[in-house]
Amino acid sequence: MQHHHPVEGRDGKAPVEANYAHCLSVLRDTDRDRYLACLLAPQDRRGPLAALYAFNAEIARVRDLVHEPLPGEIRLQWWRDTLEGRGEGDAKANPLAAGLLHCISEHRLPVRVLTDMIEARIFDLYDDPMPDRGALEGYAGETASALIQLASLVLDPGGAERSATIAGHAGVAQAIAGLLLLLPIHRRRGQVYIPGDLLAATGLSAEELLAGTDRARIASAVEAFAGLGRDHLRKARAAGEIAPANRAAFLPVVIAPHVFKLAERAGADALERTLLPAQWRRQWWMWRALRTGTF
């Protein structure tokens, strides 16, 4: 069986570089902030980071590509098979998958963390509301926090262990900021990621949030959700220092506090319009954080 992929040079470098370059160009279109974070990372780490981030973007956008849960589950299963070594031929022909597999072997990344990340994304395919804060923190931990930790293993494995707790909280804060930005899209689809216990505390049900009529209570729920994000950001900052070589792994988190502020200001309007700050601002915040190490 023939595969049309670049012929390996004697050192095996050519296809690896080509796959990594492909991952970076995919990432530019699927996750602009992590693309910018990649460009700010040391040059020899850009390729592996791009593979990791492009994979994350790929499994995060499955819901955008399918109209029914089943084809979504099939796509996620393909990635699980690929990571567990059951889709070898297919994977080699797919430059994103090949780049990811190379990144995993080169940096000895734990495959289990990546398969848990895929597992967590099954939630996105259905319309069940997020039951409570614990469930949200678990979902964020297996997606955003895990990604920061994997990126740290690529950048500076020695320092990764030290920043594991910071990554845990920073990832939850980042995930909440991301969910606040996606509120209008999720609402159109009938998805509710604001935890049920947090909604109940403001006197709302998931249905009432989606209906969008009780503006005052919706504003309180948005504020409480942003508050939960701020709380995790505080815990991340209190958990110690990030090893300087690992700063690049945390860069996308820098946008979170700005999103919380915009969400609190927007209140119920956050359901209708996106709160994303201008790209040049996001780029500037990341660049500054890389220099100062403050998030």
Side-chain angles (χ1 to χ4, degrees):
M1 195 166 129
Q2 278 189 313
H3 289 305
H4 300 284
H5 48 93
V7 180
E8 288 223 10
R10 204 161 300 155
D11 58 356
K13 274 279 190 293
V16 171
E17 294 311 320
N19 291 335
Y20 280 162
H22 171 82
C23 292
L24 194 61
S25 77
V26 165
L27 188 63
R28 191 176 56 222
D29 299 330
T30 53
D31 186 340
R32 187 51 65 104
D33 289 337
R34 288 195 180 94
Y35 169 73
L36 296 172
C38 261
L39 298 185
L40 292 168
Q43 196 164 356
D44 64 333
R45 296 290 189 269
R46 267 174 221 166
L49 280 180
L52 203 51
Y53 290 161
F55 158 72
N56 173 68
E58 199 58 34
I59 61 170
R61 70 193 192 101
V62 167
R63 176 69 188 244
D64 304 334
L65 307 172
V66 299
H67 298 299
E68 297 290 325
L70 191 61
E73 292 229 21
I74 291 168
R75 274 174 185 264
L76 292 176
Q77 184 61 45
W78 184 88
W79 279 106
R80 201 181 291 117
D81 290 346
T82 298
L83 290 176
E84 290 172 350
R86 290 196 296 273
E88 204 50 45
D90 279 356
K92 284 216 176 83
N94 175 327
L96 202 163
L100 179 66
L101 291 174
H102 188 81
C103 167
I104 291 168
S105 68
E106 188 184 6
H107 297 281
R108 297 202 279 285
L109 300 182
V111 169
R112 176 65 194 274
V113 176
L114 290 150
T115 54
D116 285 350
M117 199 183 272
I118 294 169
E119 199 63 38
R121 289 288 174 191
I122 292 174
F123 181 84
D124 302 343
L125 303 176
Y126 295 88
D127 294 339
D128 305 329
M130 188 63 76
D132 52 40
R133 265 173 288 208
L136 174 87
E137 286 161 356
Y139 169 87
E142 291 189 329
T143 53
S145 304
L147 194 60
I148 296 172
Q149 194 57 11
L150 290 165
S152 299
L153 288 170
V154 167
L155 287 160
D156 172 24
E161 195 55 50
R162 290 206 304 279
S163 53
T165 309
I166 310 174
H169 290 297
V172 179
Q174 189 191 357
I176 291 173
L179 293 170
L180 283 164
L181 292 175
L182 290 169
L183 270 174
I185 291 175
H186 288 155
R187 186 189 174 200
R188 280 200 296 278
R189 290 183 188 153
Q191 290 179 289
V192 176
Y193 284 82
I194 299 181
D197 54 354
L198 203 143
L199 286 178
T202 55
L204 278 178
S205 65
E207 294 71 37
E208 287 166 327
L209 177 78
L210 293 172
T213 39
D214 191 338
R215 311 290 286 178
R217 280 186 172 156
I218 290 167
S220 299
V222 167
E223 209 169 300
F225 198 35
L228 181 62
R230 281 188 192 284
D231 198 34
H232 279 283
L233 203 53
R234 261 195 304 275
K235 288 176 179 163
R237 286 170 179 158
E241 289 284 306
I242 297 160
N246 270 335
R247 284 177 190 170
F250 288 82
L251 292 181
V253 181
V254 181
I255 295 147
H258 302 279
V259 172
F260 300 149
K261 194 186 295 174
L262 291 167
E264 287 157 351
R265 209 177 295 157
D269 287 347
L271 283 180
E272 270 100 51
R273 58 183 175 85
T274 181
L275 307 162
L276 191 63
Q279 189 189 312
W280 67 268
R281 283 184 192 279
R282 293 171 0 242
Q283 205 160 351
W284 160 243
W285 294 329
M286 284 196 242
W287 182 83
R288 196 177 52 191
L290 189 65
R291 294 284 171 279
T292 61
T294 49
F295 291 85

